[in-house]
Amino acid sequence: MRILLVGGGGREHAIGEALVRAGAELYVVAKHRNPGLARLARGYGLARETDVGKVLAYAEKFGADIAFIGPEAPLERGIADIFEENGIPSVGPSREVAKLETDKAFARAFMERNEIPGRKAFRVFTDVTEMRSWIDDFGKPVVVKPIGLTGGKGVKVVGYQLKDNEEAKAYAEELIRRDGKVLIEERTDGVEFTFQVFSDGRRIIQMPLAQDYPHAYENDEGPITGGMGSYSCSNALLPFVTKEDYEKAFETLKATVEAMRKEGSPYKGILYGQFMLSREGPVLIEYNARFGDPEAINVLPLLKTSLLEIAEGIVDGNLRKAEFESMATVVKYLAPKGYPTNPLKGVKVEVDERAVEETGARLYYASIDENLTLLGSRAIAVLGIAESLEEAERIAESAVLHIRGELFHRRDVGTKESVEKRIELMKELGREFEPNPC
């Protein structure tokens, strides 16, 4: 089975590894030559992932049987539709379905129309005066979001006080003048978590939960990034997520897939719900129409079922199972100094792969070329896998010592202290629960 993988980041390195492990013949198209994927692939094409014409040409040249779409940007360009029209089924939703991620106003209206559980109050504005008036009348803190894709970096969350809404109004006005419209949502306080599922359009199968660390610096400080690391627990839950919370979040994703099917646009691919666990329960912050990055790196190495078999089940509408090892994981990303606002580029780094392997960690390449030159985004991820979260974190941290260069990482990803901080936050919000072991 020839699989064309679109994308060249750390997420795609993890996808490619899992596909090859399952016996796939792997071909890759990406805007740069990822050194990890280059070793795995039988053929490698260089093109922007959003240049769907070039990507299709490579797919036909390689004789691809199935395409596996990694990032969100080509989904927005309708790459799955183009492949389908040319006889290549895709693990990735159509352009219309991908609007769940690529058009936040569409996603909120979809949830409202279908009464999907876990939704929140929202409004879309094109008029500055109307926007300012509504925020004043709403009378509670709000969140401001651009309508389209932001790479995880465009959301404005203001403070707890009503006076902070002045900052929100200023940012919303900026977006209306730039984009023509803006999404305003009620602010939801709590702790975020990631829930990823496979879907064949009718059936969905869940993956272990994960929690991302989106802030650039330790103690959850600094600008929002694409994600500086993440962890998952051996019981597939998280310490602050109860089984009841889990079932409610799962119901949101099931209802989403069912509503899409009923509306005539079946969801085929990976659906990822970013949830905020509030005092009242899980609230959907946003949908993503693909694997998370770094969260894919948490779950795919634990996958016992063949990812090739899952991919075939998704495109055939016959998804059967997805079983995972009961292990804890910690992913830590190393990024160029200055990331995300002014990242260093064009500088080489050193990676002692053998020493990393001896620590027990796994290595995933991302925004770095075959000469180990930094390209400006998160460059290298290390993964620790163990029976306990504490041991998984220790393994990941020990691997970082063998990667040298103008890089930084968050040492607190997956640590006991950072997890306890999240548990305490939930308790401060008035939730009574017994934390799950991790």
Side-chain angles (χ1 to χ4, degrees):
M1 181 69 71
R2 294 185 171 204
I3 305 292
L4 180 80
L5 175 60
V6 179
R11 162 183 50 212
E12 287 76 34
H13 189 177
I15 294 169
E17 179 189 72
L19 286 167
V20 169
R21 189 169 74 238
E25 196 172 297
L26 184 69
Y27 296 84
V28 177
V29 177
K31 62 181 178 289
H32 74 281
R33 195 171 175 85
N34 178 307
L37 281 171
R39 294 175 204 165
L40 296 169
R42 301 282 187 92
Y44 205 115
L46 290 175
R48 294 193 317 274
E49 292 94 339
T50 52
D51 189 341
V52 294
K54 277 192 178 180
V55 177
L56 174 63
Y58 274 119
E60 293 176 333
K61 174 185 174 182
F62 295 143
D65 299 305
I66 294 175
F68 205 120
I69 316 302
E72 60 274 23
L75 293 171
E76 184 179 35
R77 294 292 182 92
I79 195 168
D81 309 74
I82 299 295
F83 278 145
E84 195 73 37
E85 290 165 11
N86 288 273
I88 304 171
S90 294
V91 178
S94 68
R95 183 176 188 170
E96 182 65 20
V97 175
K99 284 166 72 176
L100 283 175
E101 173 171 9
T102 64
D103 185 334
K104 293 180 179 66
F106 170 88
R108 287 299 177 199
F110 165 84
M111 291 187 76
E112 198 68 27
R113 182 170 68 248
N114 291 284
E115 299 183 350
I116 305 295
R119 60 191 185 278
K120 56 160 70 179
F122 77 99
R123 281 288 300 274
V124 177
F125 295 96
T126 57
D127 180 84
V128 171
T129 303
E130 188 181 349
M131 173 272 295
R132 286 179 168 274
S133 177
W134 185 87
I135 290 177
D136 288 338
D137 292 343
F138 187 60
K140 291 185 286 187
V142 298
V143 175
V144 179
K145 294 183 177 181
I147 297 295
L149 295 175
T150 65
K153 306 176 188 73
V155 174
K156 191 79 161 184
V157 180
V158 302
Y160 292 92
Q161 307 299 320
L162 272 180
K163 62 180 176 63
D164 295 312
N165 274 353
E166 292 306 313
E167 182 186 356
K169 284 187 273 189
Y171 182 53
E173 181 173 343
E174 180 185 322
L175 291 177
I176 289 173
R177 299 199 187 287
R178 188 190 75 185
D179 303 334
K181 54 185 175 179
V182 68
L183 176 67
I184 309 290
E185 295 179 352
E186 65 176 305
R187 173 178 170 136
T188 305
D189 293 312
V191 178
E192 289 190 45
F193 67 93
T194 298
F195 199 150
Q196 302 175 112
V197 297
F198 297 109
S199 171
D200 65 4
R202 183 181 295 271
R203 187 178 181 201
I204 71 172
I205 298 177
Q206 60 267 53
M207 305 181 217
L209 299 185
Q211 187 175 38
D212 179 29
Y213 287 64
H215 290 273
Y217 311 134
E218 289 169 19
N219 300 313
D220 303 318
E221 296 177 354
I224 298 292
T225 72
M228 292 300 294
S230 48
Y231 71 92
S232 68
C233 297
S234 59
N235 59 6
L237 295 171
L238 292 169
F240 54 87
V241 177
T242 67
K243 287 186 178 179
E244 183 182 0
D245 296 328
Y246 176 92
E247 290 302 328
K248 285 182 177 178
F250 190 35
E251 191 56 45
T252 294
L253 299 177
K254 285 191 289 186
T256 299
V257 170
E258 179 63 13
M260 271 290 171
R261 185 183 67 80
K262 286 182 176 177
E263 291 194 354
S265 300
Y267 193 105
K268 291 194 169 190
I270 290 89
L271 176 62
Y272 148 20
Q274 191 70 34
F275 288 91
M276 181 74 79
L277 185 56
S278 70
R279 181 175 178 175
E280 290 73 32
V283 175
L284 188 91
I285 299 300
E286 62 182 14
Y287 291 110
N288 290 283
R290 36 71 194 182
F291 274 117
D293 188 352
E295 296 96 330
I297 304 172
N298 293 99
V299 299
L300 285 171
L302 301 181
L303 185 61
K304 293 194 289 185
T305 309
S306 157
L307 184 58
L308 180 57
E309 183 183 306
I310 290 169
E312 290 181 279
I314 288 171
V315 301
D316 293 340
N318 189 30
L319 185 60
R320 294 177 185 273
K321 65 175 182 177
E323 297 178 353
F324 295 84
E325 300 280 357
S326 297
M327 302 287 276
T329 68
V330 172
V331 177
K332 300 196 181 200
Y333 252 123
L334 288 86
K337 289 183 177 177
Y339 175 80
T341 53
N342 188 29
L344 195 65
K345 298 179 185 178
V347 176
K348 291 187 73 169
V349 300
E350 296 178 17
V351 182
D352 188 336
E353 292 189 358
R354 180 174 292 181
V356 170
E357 186 178 339
E358 287 173 355
T359 68
R362 300 190 193 185
L363 193 67
Y364 294 89
Y365 289 105
S367 182
I368 192 166
D369 70 13
E370 57 192 326
N371 298 312
L372 298 187
T373 300
L374 299 175
L375 301 177
S377 192
R378 296 169 299 166
I380 302 169
V382 290
L383 168 69
I385 302 176
E387 291 185 357
S388 71
L389 184 65
E390 186 177 4
E391 179 62 12
E393 190 278 327
R394 187 198 65 77
I395 291 170
E397 189 63 31
S398 66
V400 173
L401 298 173
H402 305 292
I403 302 169
R404 299 176 184 86
E406 297 294 307
L407 300 161
F408 77 98
H409 76 289
R410 282 190 58 171
R411 293 170 299 174
D412 61 344
V413 172
T415 61
K416 182 179 179 181
E417 292 76 18
S418 75
V419 173
E420 285 178 347
K421 179 180 173 183
R422 286 149 176 76
I423 292 170
E424 286 307 308
L425 177 56
M426 292 310 305
K427 289 183 175 178
E428 287 171 13
L429 288 173
R431 298 218 5 136
E432 296 182 5
F433 66 100
E434 193 63 39
N436 298 307
C438 189

